[in-house]
Amino acid sequence: MLLGQRIKEIAAEKNLSVIWLAEQMHYERSNIYDIFRRDNIDVRLLIRFSKVLGYNFLADVAEEVERELWGEAAE
């Protein structure tokens, strides 16, 4: 899954608009839409999204790394 898509999903689950997210991140809405399309996101930016959305995106990344390294058995 695209990491940006996961950010979009979490924001939607929390009923947060793109406008709200852009304001919290101090970005233009167009930047947020661009981030939604990204597969890779800088760690510092991902931490900022984690704080704003109250969700640990780094845990999702860690799970993906585990699957990539050790296969589906690593849980």
Side-chain angles (χ1 to χ4, degrees):
M1 171 186 291
L2 295 174
L3 196 48
Q5 186 65 32
R6 185 68 178 141
I7 292 169
K8 181 179 179 180
E9 287 177 4
I10 296 301
E13 286 174 13
K14 295 177 178 261
N15 295 316
L16 301 171
S17 71
V18 173
I19 294 169
W20 181 89
L21 188 54
E23 288 172 354
Q24 298 303 305
M25 295 295 293
H26 305 287
Y27 285 151
E28 297 291 325
R29 281 184 297 159
S30 60
N31 292 44
I32 298 297
Y33 287 118
D34 176 60
I35 290 167
F36 287 166
R37 291 187 297 271
R38 292 183 191 174
D39 184 29
N40 297 310
I41 297 177
D42 178 79
V43 172
R44 291 185 190 276
L45 181 56
L46 199 55
I47 291 169
R48 286 182 59 207
F49 273 107
S50 294
K51 288 179 181 178
V52 166
L53 293 173
Y55 182 86
N56 186 354
F57 291 102
L58 295 174
D60 287 353
V61 171
E63 285 180 23
E64 186 173 335
V65 168
E66 288 291 321
R67 282 193 301 275
E68 294 264 336
L69 290 176
W70 316 116
E72 294 295 325
E75 294 278 329

